[in-house]
Amino acid sequence: MKMGFRWYGEGNDTISLDDIRQIPGVETIVWSLHHKQAGELWEPEEIEHEMKLITGLSEDDRKRGITKTFNADVVESVNVHESIKTGKTMLGMSRDEALDNYIKTIENLGKAGVKVVTYNFMPVFDWLRTDMFHPSPDGSTALYYDAHKVAQLTDPQALIDETLNGAGNLTMPGWEPERLAHLPEFIEAYKGIDHDKYYENYKVFLDAVIPTCEKYDVKLAVHPDDPAFDLFGWPRVVSSKEGIQRVLDLNPSPYNGLCLCLGSFSSRRSNDPVDAVKTFMDRIHFSHVRNIKFLDEAGSFSEVGHRASEGDVDTIGIMKAYAEADYQGYIRPDHGRHLWNENTPEHKPRPGYGLYDRALGIQYLLGVWDTVKYNK
């Protein structure tokens, strides 16, 4: 198992590579080109520049005696253009053009040495919360989903505005203002697209992209829907064990796999995250491990610390299943609370992506892993 940490790039993250370097156990920087819009081609020079930042050391680093470096094996994410999801020309780009750019991007990443590319296939919104900095009983703040508020919404635009305001000057993947300015076009395009049609469009994507993944040894890893149920009448198809199995069956190649985010998956109460880990182990190329706590019967939840007893996700059982199987893929902590003056008017992290709680989460997850491995 290789422990990772998501980093948003120089000048686009409140956390530095030097900060991450001091977290014991981190080997992998999970990265992306966050200035790229969905559908755009990732050029080799851009990829090489970012990977050199991650894997290299500056002269100043060496003078200070620093020797620890990272790998840049995992990209999260190469976003899928809406024309691919709907099968229709969207934002002036046809499905074929978007597929061609995606395939070429995979080729460029594979040639650079990237091993895993994470993506999602959610309509319009990559994820959804109603509060970016919700107060917790311990004085920290965390991402929060109010099921009642979402149920009463008639226009998603209010959520778009609130989410982008929470990001401040930082990018918010999945909520790019340039793309979401076309929300009325998206709403119109998704009319008449049910779950079966969406799976058909999904298969077109996989069948087009997977041969290039196989050729350049890049594993494709889909992130579960977040939260794991339909929203605003749009079909979500990676929301349950059955849905995941159907996606894997669309293309049987082992390169068609999962980024199994256990927090997202667990937002549907009937889902069993430990069972999902055990069931799909051989197709899990990357995993996010985090915790949520349900707050009412409607399904409202808050994100909490990674410790199992803090919430409703069995993070101990998850890490035990990975350790017993001697999982060889990549894992990272996911969203954490904002702690210790991270959330102030002068210093706000990207929502869910502060330093301290994710660093604490890594130590907890590694502690469970080590306990299982050393007590065999």
Side-chain angles (χ1 to χ4, degrees), residues 123 125 127-128 145 150-151 159 226-236:
F125 301 139
W127 54 276
L128 190 144
Y145 178 81
V150 174
L159 273 181
D226 185 12
F229 37 80
D230 290 355
L231 291 167
F232 307 115
W234 300 325
R236 291 187 161 209

Side-chain angles (χ1 to χ4, degrees), residues 19 48 77 81 87 118 143 257-258 274 314 346:
D19 293 333
E48 180 184 9
S77 54
H81 196 266
T118 299
L143 292 165
L258 303 176
V274 178
D314 184 5
E346 299 78 25

Side-chain angles (χ1 to χ4, degrees), residues 63 173 316 319 376:
K63 287 178 182 176
I316 292 176
M319 292 307 297
K376 273 191 172 181

Side-chain angles (χ1 to χ4, degrees), residues 256-275:
N256 173 28
L258 303 176
C259 168
L260 188 57
C261 176
L262 283 314
S264 301
F265 185 74
S266 298
S267 61
R268 179 188 287 239
R269 283 184 186 270
S270 58
N271 286 343
D272 182 338
V274 178
D275 175 67

Side-chain angles (χ1 to χ4, degrees), residues 132-158:
M132 302 298 106
F133 298 99
H134 192 74
S136 303
D138 60 8
S140 64
T141 60
L143 292 165
Y144 177 80
Y145 178 81
D146 186 335
H148 303 281
K149 183 174 182 178
V150 174
Q152 294 166 7
L153 275 176
T154 56
D155 181 5
Q157 186 63 51

Side-chain angles (χ1 to χ4, degrees), residues 83-355:
S83 65
I84 296 174
K85 299 175 189 176
T86 61
K88 307 170 184 178
T89 295
M90 298 283 295
L91 310 181
M93 181 175 286
S94 70
R95 174 162 68 178
D96 287 346
E97 183 181 356
L99 285 171
D100 286 345
N101 285 347
Y102 207 99
I103 290 165
K104 184 62 177 177
T105 295
I106 294 291
E107 177 182 337
N108 291 342
L109 288 168
K111 287 178 176 178
V114 169
K115 302 301 182 187
V116 177
V117 167
T118 299
Y119 71 103
N120 72 73
F121 216 76
M122 289 178 254
V124 187
F125 301 139
D126 285 10
W127 54 276
L128 190 144
R129 299 292 185 273
T130 56
D131 191 342
M132 302 298 106
F133 298 99
H134 192 74
S136 303
D138 60 8
S140 64
T141 60
L143 292 165
Y144 177 80
Y145 178 81
D146 186 335
H148 303 281
K149 183 174 182 178
V150 174
Q152 294 166 7
L153 275 176
T154 56
D155 181 5
Q157 186 63 51
L159 273 181
I160 293 173
D161 296 340
E162 188 169 337
T163 301
L164 293 177
N165 287 337
N169 295 322
L170 302 170
T171 59
M172 187 69 82
W175 293 81
E176 298 81 10
E178 301 90 344
R179 185 175 64 86
L180 292 177
H182 300 271
L183 181 63
E185 182 180 346
F186 296 155
I187 292 172
E188 184 63 29
Y190 276 96
K191 288 180 179 177
I193 298 180
D194 60 12
H195 291 80
D196 287 338
K197 180 61 179 175
Y198 208 55
Y199 279 116
E200 289 178 21
N201 294 342
Y202 201 156
K203 180 173 173 56
V204 171
F205 168 72
L206 291 172
D207 288 349
V209 173
I210 290 297
T212 301
C213 293
E214 293 173 335
K215 181 177 180 179
Y216 293 97
D217 194 25
V218 178
K219 294 181 171 68
L220 203 61
V222 64
H223 188 290
D225 304 325
D226 185 12
F229 37 80
D230 290 355
L231 291 167
F232 307 115
W234 300 325
R236 291 187 161 209
V237 297
V238 198
S239 294
S240 65
K241 183 178 179 180
E242 295 74 22
I244 288 174
Q245 187 62 63
R246 186 166 175 180
V247 168
L248 297 179
D249 290 343
L250 290 175
N251 188 301
S253 170
Y255 283 81
N256 173 28
L258 303 176
C259 168
L260 188 57
C261 176
L262 283 314
S264 301
F265 185 74
S266 298
S267 61
R268 179 188 287 239
R269 283 184 186 270
S270 58
N271 286 343
D272 182 338
V274 178
D275 175 67
V277 170
K278 292 178 178 178
T279 300
F280 301 118
M281 184 71 71
D282 64 341
R283 301 286 282 275
I284 301 172
H285 303 320
F286 180 32
S287 186
H288 301 169
V289 184
R290 64 176 167 86
N291 203 350
I292 63 171
K293 184 173 182 62
F294 287 108
L295 302 174
D296 56 40
E297 289 303 313
S300 302
F301 61 85
S302 179
E303 302 196 3
V304 294
H306 286 72
R307 190 180 180 204
S309 61
E310 295 291 315
D312 294 303
V313 180
D314 184 5
T315 50
I316 292 176
I318 288 164
M319 292 307 297
K320 183 171 183 285
Y322 278 128
E324 288 178 342
D326 194 25
Y327 176 65
Q328 295 298 303
Y330 302 85
I331 286 178
R332 74 165 174 84
D334 204 9
H335 308 154
R337 299 164 298 154
H338 318 106
L339 306 179
W340 304 327
N341 297 317
E342 281 185 314
N343 181 19
T344 65
E346 299 78 25
H347 181 84
K348 272 187 178 291
R350 180 177 281 97
Y353 284 96
L355 171 63

